Amino acid sequence: MPLGEHLRELRNRLVKAVGAILLATIVAALFYKQLIAFLIDPLPGCVPGRPTGTAEAAHCGLISVNGLLSPFTLALKVSVTAGVVAASPVWLYQLWAFVVPGLYRKERKYSLALLGAGVPLFLCGAAMAYWLLPTTARVLISFTPEKATNLLPIDGYLNLATRMVVVFGLSFELPFLLVLLNLGGVITARQMIGWWRGMFMGIAVFAAVATPSTDPLSMLLLAVPIGLLYLVACAIAWCNDRRRGRTRVGGTGGSPRDVEACPLDLTAAPIEPPSSIAAPRP
């Protein structure tokens, strides 16, 4: 397709993805109280009646809401985040549908299998973020000085929780993106393996920034799965490149980069003798 058709295709895919997110957000808004309670559950709250100034009170938090508009902003933020997570099968499919016309039939089958793995990867990242929330909260609250009590604004805590859910979910999509680029012929397995030093360094830095707690355990719990998924993506790309090499040798086709042009025949062909044409009558 020409560039204009590609842009129109991209626009249509974006409209469908945004529409699915909006629809899921509206549905999630009907249950925003349950969603907020679900996100607050990992936070260690203070027991009512516990005297302030004790060591136990310093390691808990009093959840509060500040401002008149804070409850509405809170409900909107939680609903949008839940909509992005719930609509992940739709917008991941739209991403796949935009890339798949440039793939061969076998590569489409592989990419469809990867699409089926992309949604669970995103949900696994979101689940890991929720699993790390109690540890993150306890570590951060442990810095509270003695004879002090934490007042935890719920919007600030949910900002942290929703950001962790989205960031962890998207970070688990790294192998999905790399394999899609390999199937499209953009990168090769040799290039991916050659990036291992920079990739592992980038994963470690990303894990250190994405996890707000200062303990190394939380960083490792995020960095190790992403590193393993990167290695799995390299293995899938290596198998795909080997398959392309065998296909090219067998002469049954391959990726556009693997197809070699046929030699041109530049031999001069004889010209036919001129033929007579009757003159037109005046």
Side-chain angles (χ1 to χ4, degrees), residues 120-130 164-165 167-172:
L121 283 174
F122 185 87
L123 297 179
C124 286
M128 176 167 286
Y130 184 79
M164 286 183 62
V165 168
V167 169
F168 276 52
L170 292 178
S171 64
F172 272 57

Side-chain angles (χ1 to χ4, degrees), residues 171-186:
S171 64
F172 272 57
E173 296 295 328
L174 174 64
F176 176 76
L177 178 62
L178 291 176
V179 175
L180 275 183
L181 292 176
N182 176 259
L183 290 176
V186 180

